[in-house]
Structure formats: C-alpha cells, structure tokens
Amino acid sequence: VQLQASGGGLVQAGGSLRLSCKATGLWFQSNVMGWFRQAPGKERELVASINANGRNAYYQDSVKGRFTISRDNARNTVYLQMSSLKPEDTAVYYCAADKIRQIIYDLHPMRGDAWGQGTQVTVSS
C-alpha cells in the first residue's frame, strides 16, 4: 500500500491550498480516507475523513466551513481543499486509509491502517 500526498506549500493567511493523495496497492473504494495533521510539539490529529462513496464526511470543529474533503474513486485519489487558511493550520498533513470492516462504520476516529509520507503546509501571518 502506498499513499502519495502532494500539494503542500507556503501560503499567506486567508489563502487556499489543495492537497491530493494518490493511493496504490489497495482497493480504494473499500477504505475510509482521511487527512491528519501534526504541528510541532503537538499530537497528530484527524482533520477530516470521508466515507467510501464520498457522500459523508467528518470535520474537526476548527476546520468546519473552511476545509472540504472529497474523493475520486476512479482516480484512487482523495483531496483536501483548504480555504481561509490560518497560521494555526500550519502542520505536516498526512493522508490515511482505514479498511472498511463492517457495513456500518464511523468516520472518526480513524485507526490509520495505512499512511502517506506527509506534506508540509505553512501559513504565514
């Protein structure tokens, strides 16, 4: 399993970025996909996650209304559109996959069955 994240960078506060994560080596449609982030000195936290068909999503309170997670099952790719970025959004962002094991499942917390390598997002004030 390989999750390749991209799209991070340096942006001014109020700006936007779009992260992408391409998955290979797994049956993409059978996985919940999510984005975590980890800021220096802080624990890794779940930012957003999305169910198998892309119709339901979970968002951490601090990003609701600013971030949008989506997925393209035909391309085995999950996205995180980030808008109105704040300096406190600065972190390394990781994509993750959880294999769906039951018919009814929660979108959070995520186990993190597979992880991407992380992409740095830096928001300047």
Side-chain angles (χ1 to χ4, degrees):
V1 176
Q2 187 171 15
L3 303 178
Q4 184 70 38
S6 61
L10 173 63
V11 64
Q12 289 188 333
S16 298
L17 282 174
R18 187 195 197 202
L19 306 183
S20 300
C21 177
K22 171 79 170 178
T24 56
L26 54 77
W27 186 247
F28 190 70
Q29 294 92 322
S30 295
N31 283 265
V32 170
M33 298 300 298
W35 288 95
F36 286 74
R37 68 185 179 188
Q38 187 167 22
K42 295 188 177 181
E43 293 187 354
R44 190 175 297 189
E45 59 181 5
L46 178 62
V47 174
S49 56
I50 190 166
N51 73 334
N53 63 16
R55 294 176 183 172
N56 291 299
Y58 159 84
Y59 294 97
Q60 183 191 100
D61 284 346
S62 67
V63 307
K64 284 180 179 178
R66 300 189 299 121
F67 290 10
T68 302
I69 188 171
S70 62
R71 64 191 292 162
D72 184 341
N73 285 346
R75 290 182 167 83
N76 283 13
T77 302
V78 61
Y79 305 97
L80 186 68
Q81 178 67 47
M82 305 184 294
S83 303
S84 301
L85 282 162
K86 304 176 181 180
E88 51 262 44
D89 294 318
T90 295
V92 178
Y93 284 70
Y94 300 88
C95 62
D98 274 1
K99 184 175 175 57
I100 296 169
R101 299 175 178 176
Q102 52 199 41
I103 295 173
I104 299 175
Y105 55 91
D106 291 325
L107 295 180
H108 73 97
M110 286 186 65
R111 297 183 304 273
D113 293 341
W115 293 93
Q117 85 285 7
T119 185
Q120 177 71 46
V121 172
T122 303
V123 184
S124 62
S125 57

